Amino acid sequence: MSSTVALSVRTLVEYVFRSGSIEPGFHGTGAMVEGTRIHQKIQKQYKEGDRKEVYLKTEIPYGNLLYVVDGRCDGLLVSEDGSFTVEEIKSTSGLLDLLDEGHEVHWAQALMYAYMVALEQELSSIQVKLTYVHRATDEQKSLYRTLSFEELISFVNDTVARYAPYAEMMVRHDAKKEQSLRELSFPFSSYRKGQRHFAGAVYKSVVEKVSLFAQAPTGIGKTMSTLFPVLKAMGEGQAKGLFYLTAKTVTRFAAQEAISLLLTQGLQLHVITLTAKEKACFREEGICGKDSCPYTDGYYDRINEALMDLLEHETLMSRDTLALYAHKHKVCPFEFSLDAAYACDAVICDYNYIYDPRISLKRLTEERKRETVLLVDEAHNLVDRGREMFSASLLKAPFLEIQRQYKEMNRNLSTAAKSVNAFFISLRKICNEEGQGQWDSFPEELPALLEIFSLEAEQELIHPSSSIVSLNGEGEGENVLLDTYFAVQGMLRTFKTYDERYITYAEVRRGDVYLKLFNLDPSHLLRQMSKSFRSQILFSATLSPLSYYRDMIGAAEEDYSLTVSSPFQKEQWEVTVLPVSTRYHDREASLVPLTKALSQMVSKKGNYLVFFPSYLYLQNVYQAFTEYYPEIRTLMQDTGMSEQARESFLAAFSPDNDETLLGFAVLGGIFSEGVDLPGDRLNGVMVVGVGLPQLGLERNLLRQYFNARGKNGFDYAYVYPGMCKVLQAGGRLIRSETDTGIIVLADDRFLQSPYMHLLPVEWRDYLIRT
C-alpha cells in the first residue's frame, strides 16, 4: 500500500450515506447533551457481560490505499447462548412512528461496527440493533437486523469503494502540498527588522507545543511572520493544519492576501475563508429550511459532488469562490463552507469558530486539533470577545409574547413560557429601588424552567402547530420563538460553566427585565477551548502590558512571551500632547481647544484622522470645526455604515488629493483598527481621550472582581482596554519604513502614570526629547 488513510467510522459513513435536506438550525441544538444523557440511561440497563463505548479499529485495503477505520460502538451485548449484538443508540426529536425502518446512515454506522466485531470474534453472523429514543419523552423504538459475515464484507467493501475517489484526491493533494511546503521560501528578498526573530519564536513555539504571546508593532509584517514559520513547521511534519483567527473582516483579507502571495510562489494548500451565515446566504426571506430554500432541500444528495469539484480545482476559497460553486451545485453556501473547512489545510475565520461553544466547529476531532496551530490575530480583542462568548442573557418580554401567541394553539408551550415569565416578575420584585440586583450564583429554580421551555419550543419548531401571527405582524411569530429558543440554549449552556468567575445581575429596562450571567474572567474557558490544539500564537501591536493579556487569555506557565521592537526610526513620528481635559464633565469646554488643535494639525496639506471616545463627542467637535473652518474638506463616520460606505470613506484618503482631508471617526470603531493607509494616504492622527470605556454596571463589576483578587481593578476594567484603543488608532499612521507623520494625543492624562507608561517606546522617546 502506498498510503494510509485514517478516518473514523462516523466520518466514513456520513460521507457515503448521508442524504436528504438540511434541517433548520434549531433541530438538535441540545442534541449533544441530551444524546449523552440518553446513551447513559440505556447503557445503565446493560446486564453483566455487556460492554459499552467499545473501541474498535480495523484496516481495509482498497486500490492503492489502506483505510484505517476506528470508532466506539455504543453497546456490545452478549446473550445467554454467547451470541453478540451490536447496538447503536440515536436520540431524536422527530416522531418515532415516522422512522419506518430507520435512517440509512445510522444503519451504516452500526453495520461498520458489526463488521469489526465479527472480524475480531471470527463470527459467521451477528445481530445489529438500532435504538431510537425520543428526547422529550424517552420513548424508545428498536429495530433489528441479522447479517452474515459475507454480507458485512460486501457492505464494507462497497462503502469504502464509494469513499475512495474522495480519499484518492486528497492523497494526491497531500503529496503536492508536502513537497511544496518543503520547497517554500520566504516571499520577500529580506526580513524587516525584528521579523526573523519573531518568525523564529513562532516556529519554536509550534515545535515545543506551547503558546506564544507576541507584541509586534504595526508594520513588521505580522501576518507573514506567523504564517510562514507555521507552514514550514507543517512541511517538517510538526503540524498538519492551521486556523488563522481574526476579529474583523479587514484582517481576514490581509491573511488571504498573504496566502495568495505564497500560492503564486508554488505553495499547494487548500485554504478557505469562512463568512458569517447572514452574509453568505442566498435566501432572501423565510426561515432557513428545505421548505423555503432550494439550496437546503436535498443538500446532502449533492454535497459530495460539490466538495470534489471545489477541492479538485481550487486552492484559495474565498466567499465569492464558494458562492460560485454553491450556485453551480445548488447547495447552501454557508453549510458548504463548513463542510469544506473540515477538508482544508488552513481556515481563515472569526474567533468564534474555535472559542465560542455555541458556534465552534463541533466535528473537529481531538486528533485533528492536536495537529493544528491557532494563529490569533489582533489578540487583544479576545478578552472582551471571550466575555461575550461565555456570558448569556435573557429578557422577560419574549416569554410573555410566546405565552399569549400559543395560548390556544400549543398549551404546553404557552404554560412553559408563562412559568418563565412568572420567574421574571418575581425577579423584578427583588431588585432594588434603582431596578438592579446582583448575586454570586444563578437562580436555582431557573434551569428547570428553561429546560421545560426548551423541550416544548423544540417540539413546536420541528412540528409547528399552525401558522403563527405575532403581536408585531404576520410571519414574526416563528422568529420570536426561534430567537428565544437560542437564547435559552445559551443560558442552559452557561449554567454548566458557571463558577466563581461569574456574577449574575438583573436590570429593569423600560419596563422589561433583563437577566445576565456575566463572565468576569474569560481566561479559564479560553484556555479550555484551545488546550487541545498543538500551539496557539497570539499576536497584536497592542498586547500591553503583556502580563495583563497573559492573565486574561489564560497563559500557562510554560508559554512564551515576546516583545518585538519597532522596525521604524524614531524620526518617522512627531508626537505631541495637547494637555486638555476630555473627561465627560469637561467636554463642552474642550470643544474650542480641540478645534484649534485640529486646524493646526491640518495646516500642512495632507490626509488626517481624528478619533473620539463617543459618537456624540465626535458630532459636537465636528459641528464646531466645520463652522470655524468650512473650507477644510471633512468626512464623518456614521453609525451603522454599510460595507460600501466604509469602502468609500477609506477610498477618500487618496495619496494624490488636491486638498486637505480630515476624517472624524470613533475610537475603537471600524476605522481605528485593522485599517491600512500607507504613505501619503494618511499624514496625521489625533486621538482624543485615553479611551476609557463608559462607566457602567458591568465595568464596575469587573473593577470590584479584580480588586477583590489583589489586582488593580480600575486598570483591568478601564485603563488597559482604553489605552489599547488609543494605541490601535495611533497605529494607523506609520505602516512602512518610508512613512512619516504626526500624532496628537489630546488629553492631559497622557502626561501622567499609568497612561504615559503604556505608550509605545517610540512615542514616549519623542515626548521626552521634545
Side-chain angles (χ1 to χ4, degrees):
M1 298 294 156
S2 60
S3 295
T4 298
V5 176
L7 71 164
S8 69
V9 168
R10 184 167 182 173
T11 298
L12 174 61
V13 301
E14 285 189 350
Y15 180 89
V16 175
F17 294 101
R18 196 168 47 169
S19 62
S21 305
I22 295 175
E23 297 297 334
F26 56 81
H27 183 73
T29 298
M32 188 173 293
V33 174
E34 275 298 291
T36 300
R37 180 189 66 82
I38 286 167
H39 276 64
Q40 291 172 347
K41 182 175 181 179
I42 292 179
Q43 289 167 345
K44 283 181 180 178
Q45 301 169 11
Y46 288 173
K47 62 183 185 299
E48 187 177 354
D50 294 342
R51 297 163 61 195
K52 62 183 180 181
E53 303 299 329
V54 182
Y55 179 73
L56 298 167
K57 183 176 182 179
T58 192
E59 296 181 353
I60 307 167
Y62 185 87
N64 293 322
L65 300 177
L66 178 66
Y67 295 83
V68 180
V69 184
D70 70 347
R72 293 185 182 275
C73 80
D74 294 328
L76 183 57
L77 316 179
V78 184
S79 63
E80 292 182 0
D81 63 4
S83 61
F84 290 91
T85 297
V86 166
E87 181 173 35
E88 183 66 23
I89 306 166
K90 297 294 180 185
S91 62
T92 179
S93 294
L95 298 176
L96 296 183
D97 292 343
L98 300 178
L99 285 171
D100 295 324
E101 292 305 309
H103 296 296
E104 186 178 21
V105 66
H106 297 156
W107 275 116
Q109 190 171 353
L111 294 181
M112 285 297 301
Y113 291 134
Y115 165 78
M116 294 182 185
V117 172
L119 179 65
E120 184 181 279
Q121 300 293 329
E122 299 182 350
L123 304 176
S124 59
S125 66
I126 190 169
Q127 181 172 255
V128 182
K129 179 182 180 182
L130 179 57
T131 298
Y132 287 99
V133 184
H134 195 275
R135 290 208 296 273
T137 64
D138 280 355
E139 181 186 356
Q140 297 182 26
K141 179 176 183 177
S142 293
L143 306 168
Y144 296 87
R145 291 182 187 176
T146 300
L147 291 93
S148 68
F149 186 55
E150 288 72 22
E151 288 175 309
L152 290 171
I153 291 174
S154 177
F155 163 77
V156 168
N157 287 337
D158 177 65
T159 301
V160 173
R162 292 166 67 180
Y163 184 80
Y166 174 79
E168 291 164 359
M169 178 195 69
M170 294 303 289
V171 167
R172 290 194 301 270
H173 165 74
D174 284 345
K176 294 177 185 176
K177 175 188 70 178
E178 288 166 11
Q179 181 178 349
S180 71
L181 287 169
R182 288 192 295 269
E183 296 173 353
L184 187 65
S185 299
F186 192 67
F188 304 112
S189 58
S190 62
Y191 286 89
R192 285 180 174 175
K193 178 185 175 184
Q195 194 174 27
R196 183 188 290 275
H197 180 49
F198 184 17
V202 171
Y203 179 84
K204 180 180 174 67
S205 300
V206 173
V207 171
E208 297 184 7
K209 301 181 183 180
V210 297
S211 293
L212 171 67
F213 289 74
Q215 178 167 273
T218 298
I220 197 174
K222 293 190 289 294
T223 305
M224 193 61 75
S225 298
T226 53
L227 275 172
F228 181 73
V230 172
L231 291 172
K232 293 305 290 183
M234 288 169 60
E236 296 173 5
Q238 299 289 345
K240 289 190 177 179
L242 67 90
F243 276 76
Y244 194 100
L245 306 174
T246 72
K248 298 187 178 181
T249 303
V250 67
T251 42
R252 256 162 271 170
F253 291 149
Q256 283 182 189
E257 289 173 2
I259 289 178
S260 181
L261 175 61
L262 293 169
L263 291 172
T264 63
Q265 299 192 354
L267 177 63
Q268 294 288 319
L269 208 67
H270 281 149
V271 184
I272 191 167
T273 300
L274 298 182
T275 305
K277 186 173 185 176
E278 60 270 17
K279 292 183 179 180
C281 186
F282 296 151
R283 180 174 45 87
E284 294 182 359
E285 59 184 16
I287 292 178
C288 182
K290 62 181 180 180
D291 295 333
S292 58
C293 178
Y295 295 94
T296 61
D297 187 15
Y299 172 87
Y300 293 112
D301 301 325
R302 301 183 294 273
I303 185 57
N304 288 353
E305 184 180 349
L307 283 171
M308 286 282 288
D309 192 11
L310 176 72
L311 296 169
E312 190 77 71
H313 298 103
E314 302 294 339
T315 49
L316 186 56
M317 304 165 204
S318 65
R319 172 181 166 183
D320 291 341
T321 303
L322 289 163
L324 183 69
Y325 281 83
H327 273 300
K328 177 181 177 181
H329 293 277
K330 206 171 181 180
V331 292
C332 166
F334 178 70
E335 294 295 334
F336 181 36
S337 71
L338 296 183
D339 282 325
Y342 290 103
C344 286
D345 309 299
V347 181
I348 303 169
C349 61
D350 188 88
Y351 296 160
N352 54 21
Y353 287 98
I354 295 297
Y355 300 106
D356 192 334
R358 298 165 295 183
I359 301 169
S360 60
L361 295 167
K362 301 293 192 298
R363 285 185 282 141
L364 207 60
T365 65
E366 291 301 305
E367 182 180 1
R368 171 91 179 266
K369 290 179 180 179
R370 286 195 296 270
E371 298 171 336
T372 300
V373 177
L374 302 180
L375 299 179
V376 187
D377 197 358
E378 305 292 4
H380 59 273
N381 288 302
L382 196 52
V383 178
D384 282 339
R385 283 289 299 276
R387 286 198 184 101
E388 177 187 335
M389 292 172 191
F390 305 135
S391 298
S393 61
L394 288 174
L395 283 166
K396 171 186 177 296
F399 294 98
L400 178 59
E401 186 173 347
I402 292 167
Q403 174 190 336
R404 292 171 175 171
Q405 285 174 351
Y406 290 90
K407 186 174 182 180
E408 301 300 328
M409 291 168 289
N410 187 331
R411 289 189 177 275
N412 288 343
L413 175 58
S414 178
T415 301
K418 182 179 180 180
S419 297
V420 180
N421 185 63
F423 161 80
F424 274 100
I425 293 172
S426 300
L427 185 67
R428 180 166 54 195
K429 291 178 180 177
I430 62 173
C431 288
N432 61 25
E433 293 181 359
E434 288 75 35
Q436 294 182 347
Q438 62 185 67
W439 306 271
D440 292 331
S441 60
F442 57 79
E444 291 182 4
E445 67 273 29
L446 186 57
L449 297 175
L450 295 182
E451 288 280 6
I452 295 170
F453 174 86
S454 178
L455 287 171
E456 296 298 340
E458 187 170 312
Q459 292 305 302
E460 175 63 32
L461 288 164
I462 294 171
H463 306 292
S465 53
S466 66
S467 178
I468 302 300
V469 179
S470 83
L471 301 177
N472 298 321
E474 188 174 349
E476 291 296 319
E478 297 95 333
N479 291 332
V480 171
L481 180 59
L482 186 63
D483 291 344
T484 306
Y485 173 81
F486 280 134
V488 166
Q489 287 296 314
M491 185 71 81
L492 289 171
R493 190 180 297 107
T494 305
F495 287 141
K496 295 178 174 63
T497 59
Y498 196 104
D499 59 12
E500 70 278 5
R501 302 172 187 88
Y502 279 84
I503 196 166
T504 302
Y505 75 84
E507 286 186 300
V508 179
R509 299 177 174 179
R510 295 181 295 277
D512 203 356
V513 184
Y514 175 81
L515 175 70
K516 185 167 185 176
L517 309 183
F518 182 41
N519 179 268
L520 298 157
D521 180 0
S523 60
H524 173 69
L525 291 174
L526 286 173
R527 186 172 178 182
Q528 289 294 109
M529 295 299 290
S530 63
K531 70 177 183 180
S532 298
F533 291 89
R534 180 181 181 94
S535 180
Q536 189 178 205
I537 310 299
L538 304 114
F539 55 101
S540 170
T542 51
L543 285 186
S544 178
L546 266 170
S547 58
Y548 164 74
Y549 287 100
R550 284 180 63 95
D551 188 16
M552 296 310 301
I553 297 176
E557 188 175 341
E558 65 271 17
D559 291 339
Y560 292 129
S561 293
L562 174 69
T563 300
V564 183
S565 60
S566 173
F568 307 135
Q569 302 300 313
K570 298 172 183 176
E571 291 72 25
Q572 291 178 252
W573 284 276
E574 181 183 327
V575 186
T576 59
V577 172
L578 176 66
V580 62
S581 173
T582 68
R583 297 163 183 82
Y584 186 77
H585 58 274
D586 294 327
R587 288 182 179 176
E588 184 68 29
S590 72
L591 298 183
V592 171
L594 285 175
T595 299
K596 290 182 179 179
L598 284 172
S599 70
Q600 294 172 3
M601 183 176 76
V602 303
S603 59
K604 180 180 178 182
K605 188 174 81 71
N607 296 315
Y608 300 87
L609 274 170
V610 55
F611 295 97
F612 292 88
S614 75
Y615 189 67
L616 179 61
Y617 199 8
L618 179 155
Q619 287 179 308
N620 290 338
V621 177
Y622 179 84
Q623 183 178 352
F625 184 86
T626 51
E627 286 178 3
Y628 279 108
Y629 306 100
E631 72 280 5
I632 302 295
R633 182 187 172 202
T634 57
L635 281 177
M636 184 173 68
Q637 176 182 340
D638 202 355
T639 56
M641 294 177 77
S642 65
E643 284 192 31
Q644 185 176 357
R646 297 178 192 182
E647 291 172 3
S648 297
F649 185 97
L650 293 174
F653 289 82
S654 172
D656 52 3
N657 278 342
D658 294 329
E659 56 184 339
T660 290
L661 173 65
L662 175 59
F664 287 69
V666 177
L667 196 59
I670 53 176
F671 299 121
S672 69
E673 187 171 327
V675 171
D676 200 12
L677 297 171
D680 284 335
R681 292 193 65 189
L682 189 62
N683 305 104
V685 168
M686 178 185 286
V687 180
V688 179
V690 291
L692 301 187
Q694 186 175 353
L695 288 169
L697 175 59
E698 288 194 356
R699 286 288 155 184
N700 285 334
L701 289 173
L702 291 172
R703 181 179 183 177
Q704 294 167 16
Y705 173 83
F706 288 110
N707 276 339
R709 279 149 185 80
K711 297 169 184 175
N712 189 316
F714 185 73
D715 285 353
Y716 268 59
Y718 289 98
V719 175
Y720 297 152
M723 285 298 290
C724 181
K725 297 177 188 177
V726 171
L727 304 187
Q728 282 291 322
R732 299 313 96 212
L733 183 60
I734 304 299
R735 311 295 293 181
S736 74
E737 292 90 339
T738 58
D739 286 359
T740 59
I742 60 175
I743 297 176
V744 179
L745 303 173
D747 195 296
D748 53 17
R749 286 169 288 188
F750 285 118
L751 298 173
Q752 305 166 12
S753 181
Y755 305 97
M756 187 171 190
H757 294 294
L758 292 171
L759 295 175
V761 173
E762 299 78 17
W763 300 7
R764 291 205 310 270
D765 286 351
Y766 190 93
L767 290 172
I768 293 170
R769 291 201 312 271
T770 56

